[in-house]
Amino acid sequence: MTQGHAYPPPPPTSRRKLWIGLAAGALALAVCAGALVGVGLGLRGDDEEGAAPKAAAAANGVTVTDAELTALLDRHGKALAAKDLDGWLAAFDPAREDLVAAQTHLFRNLAKLPLSVARYETVEKQGRASDAFGQGVTFQLDVSFVHQFDGFDLAPVTEWYRWTIVRPAKDAPVRVTAVTGAPAAANGSSKTVYYPGPWDRWREIHVERTPHTLIIADSARAALAKRYAPTAEAAVAHDLAVWRAGGLPGPVPNGFVLALAKGKDEMGSLYRIGTGKATEAGFSLGMVAAERRDGKFTIGGTRVVVDTDERYFGRSGGRNDAGMVFRHELAHSLMTPRTNLTEVDAFDRLDEWVVEGFAEYVAFHGRPLGDSERTVAARRLLRGWNGKLPGNGDWNDPDLVSFHYWLGHTAMNHLAEKYGESKLFRFVDAVYAGTPTDRAARDVLGVSLDEFQAGWADYVRAQTR
């Protein structure tokens, strides 16, 4: 699995490999991040080892106190809020010209974003922050950039940086000499925690707004952002109409933050540094809220990234064009905030046919199954098909991933036609809440999963007649 709920490339004309599109691992990564955010994790370092080293350092050596670091981060956040570039740059070593230039660009990019919350908090300290012999100290400070897009995020979310902190002598100022992304858990699909954002990745960003979208692109591609803004807005209107017809209670995002990537290298280095090569056409990434709600971790918002080099984006007005990719990813973004992160083990077991089938169902809502370009190839594969829903292990076969998307799509179509669309939404919602799929079928549909599967298999085979 990889990060985010992803839309795979179009079905190939040959039997070349496809990348598997489900990425529930994004939330596993998010939980790893959220486990340390907003829970009051203290600074750790050698200055915490006892009274004697502290006394020696105070008299003879060099130290950076927790209070100084807290004040540094507080000033940094206030400078951003006040649009005070000089105050923002005060944290950084002026002798590091490349660093100062990079942070200047970052400041100007952040100033373009509608942030209702923007502050910096400590995550963890790595290394010695005190030296009793006056040799100076250098250590790493992992910093959480807590931020919220006004009108888009349900709650503040976070991005983690790693700052290198230096105090060369007892009375010298504390300076930041390097900035990069803080490392994520070793077993995740990203090497970093929501880093780099588009504001880090691109020297200058362009921000294009519609009533329900915030599109971020490299400034050199501003015209492209303007071109796709109406398509993205129409996709939101489509998905929200389908969602509201489903009748689920609870908050729904008023808008969505999207980024336009050019090619797979950019796709794999926005809000993540992927441990594998990106091959998807788009993904939706759940962002863990910076603070717990009622003692529980939740999703505060999502980020959608699409690769505009994909052939979907070279089509205009078709049934399988850029709008379909937007609709699919935004469908994930509607469901992801409803994930029960306390049931992360259950989430790991989420059936991909439910997650991806729902996104396909929403993307093609109101259209016949034949409008999906997967249908023609899928019908050929039905000969010899075992009549079963694809298990998560089945999705590891890259030659069949498009077929499995189609099977998930047909499962949702059948569910809606036989049991009603409101039950479809309730069923998918129950699965996201951590209910095992077989129990969700009994609770919501009133049948066992085997019974549902048997009826669905008949429905699928009827598609070939």
Side-chain angles (χ1 to χ4, degrees), residues 155-173:
V157 299
T158 186
E159 174 189 11
W160 285 11
Y161 294 96
R162 173 161 284 186
W163 287 5
T164 299
I165 304 288
V166 173
R167 171 167 274 167
K170 181 177 180 181
D171 296 323

Side-chain angles (χ1 to χ4, degrees), residues 93-296:
D93 184 351
R96 309 287 177 126
E97 294 181 1
D98 289 348
L99 174 63
V100 171
Q103 291 300 311
T104 299
H105 296 311
L106 175 57
F107 175 87
R108 289 172 177 163
N109 281 341
L110 292 176
K112 296 180 180 181
L113 302 174
L115 299 175
S116 57
V117 174
R119 66 178 186 269
Y120 294 83
E121 297 177 352
T122 292
V123 178
E124 190 173 16
K125 184 170 59 183
Q126 304 283 345
R128 300 183 63 202
S130 182
D131 185 279
F133 302 100
Q135 298 299 308
V137 293
T138 300
F139 60 94
Q140 278 70 50
L141 181 70
D142 288 351
V143 174
S144 170
F145 173 42
V146 180
H147 58 285
Q148 181 173 11
F149 282 90
D150 188 22
F152 296 90
D153 291 331
L154 298 173
V157 299
T158 186
E159 174 189 11
W160 285 11
Y161 294 96
R162 173 161 284 186
W163 287 5
T164 299
I165 304 288
V166 173
R167 171 167 274 167
K170 181 177 180 181
D171 296 323
V174 176
R175 297 292 193 194
V176 180
T177 61
V179 176
T180 186
N187 60 348
S189 56
S190 173
K191 299 176 184 178
T192 54
V193 182
Y194 301 134
Y195 170 92
W199 41 88
D200 306 294
R201 181 72 169 75
W202 294 317
R203 178 186 177 95
E204 181 182 356
I205 62 171
H206 171 79
V207 178
E208 190 71 26
R209 291 199 62 165
T210 71
H212 297 94
T213 71
L214 182 80
I215 302 173
I216 307 173
D218 189 327
S219 63
R221 307 180 79 222
L224 200 67
K226 293 179 183 295
R227 184 194 313 170
Y228 286 119
T231 304
E233 176 65 22
V236 175
H238 168 93
D239 283 17
L240 286 177
V242 177
W243 179 272
R244 287 167 182 148
L248 287 180
V252 177
N254 293 320
F256 303 88
V257 179
L258 305 95
L260 305 184
K262 179 176 175 57
K264 301 312 177 194
D265 287 345
E266 281 194 352
M267 173 68 70
S269 60
L270 283 170
Y271 304 112
R272 59 180 181 171
I273 296 179
T275 56
K277 181 175 175 57
T279 57
E280 65 267 48
F283 68 84
S284 171
L285 180 63
M287 307 283 286
V288 168
E291 298 177 356
R292 298 187 189 193
R293 185 174 67 203
D294 299 328
K296 299 178 180 179

Side-chain angles (χ1 to χ4, degrees), residues 417-434:
E417 291 175 18
K418 183 171 180 61
Y419 302 96
E421 191 166 80
S422 64
K423 286 194 174 182
L424 181 153
F425 273 82
R426 286 170 51 202
F427 170 77
V428 175
D429 188 51
V431 172
Y432 270 82

